[in-house]
């Protein structure tokens, strides 16, 4: 699957931790040098795991897409706020609510 990010085509990879060493300490990453987004596919049914893993994985995709937008706009290299995981997580988590509010008032 691919996604257009400010005119650049990024490949989305949804894979297990065993398939990519880069997922050992994180749930995903954005590599703007090769235009690739990687999100960990969680193992289902593990003790202590979240129950709605599909929702978490979608949030993780949004998170990495936001990183890609920040990279492509030139913000990731030159500003500390654009690399803040907390800020990127906030946008990734709240985006569905933002989009719904924008649709509600025909602001898209």
């Amino acid at each position: 699957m691919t996604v257009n990010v400010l005119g650049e085509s990024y490949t989305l990879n949804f894979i297990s931790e065993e398939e990519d060493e880069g997922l050992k300490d994180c749930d995903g990453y954005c590599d703007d040098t090769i235009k690739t987004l990687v999100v960990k596919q969680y193992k289902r049914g593990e003790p202590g795991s979240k129950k709605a893993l599909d929702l978490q994985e979608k949030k993780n995709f949004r998170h990495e897409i936001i990183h890609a937008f920040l990279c492509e706009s030139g913000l990731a290299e030159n500003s500390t706020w654009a690399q803040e995981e907390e800020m990127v997580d906030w946008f990734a988590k709240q985006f569905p609510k933002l989009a719904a509010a924008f649709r509600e008032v025909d602001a898209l």
Side-chain angles (χ1 to χ4, degrees):
M1 183 179 351
T2 62
V3 61
N4 183 312
V5 177
L6 298 176
E8 294 290 334
S9 182
Y10 274 72
T11 302
L12 297 164
N13 296 299
F14 185 55
I15 57 180
S16 68
E17 184 177 327
E18 291 77 28
E19 295 176 81
D20 187 330
E21 290 180 11
L23 294 171
K24 286 194 192 272
D25 296 322
C26 65
D27 293 330
Y29 62 88
C30 169
D31 186 337
D32 63 309
T33 65
I34 57 171
K35 311 300 184 209
T36 299
L37 306 175
V38 177
V39 170
K40 182 188 295 185
Q41 183 177 28
Y42 297 116
K43 294 177 186 169
R44 270 46 183 179
E46 296 225 329
S49 70
K50 294 183 177 186
K51 302 301 179 210
L53 290 173
D54 57 324
L55 295 177
Q56 181 66 36
E57 290 162 342
K58 287 179 182 182
K59 195 270 300 174
N60 293 349
F61 266 126
R62 291 192 304 271
H63 179 102
E64 298 310 328
I65 291 168
I66 291 167
H67 273 302
F69 270 89
L70 293 168
C71 288
E72 290 304 319
S73 65
L75 293 170
E77 288 100 9
N78 299 311
S79 61
T80 55
W81 69 265
Q83 296 178 27
E84 283 291 324
E85 292 299 311
E86 183 178 335
M87 186 273 306
V88 174
D89 255 354
W90 185 90
F91 278 105
K93 187 160 185 83
Q94 301 307 326
F95 187 82
K97 297 169 199 155
L98 290 166
F102 294 154
R103 274 193 298 276
E104 187 177 328
V105 297
D106 195 26
L108 289 177

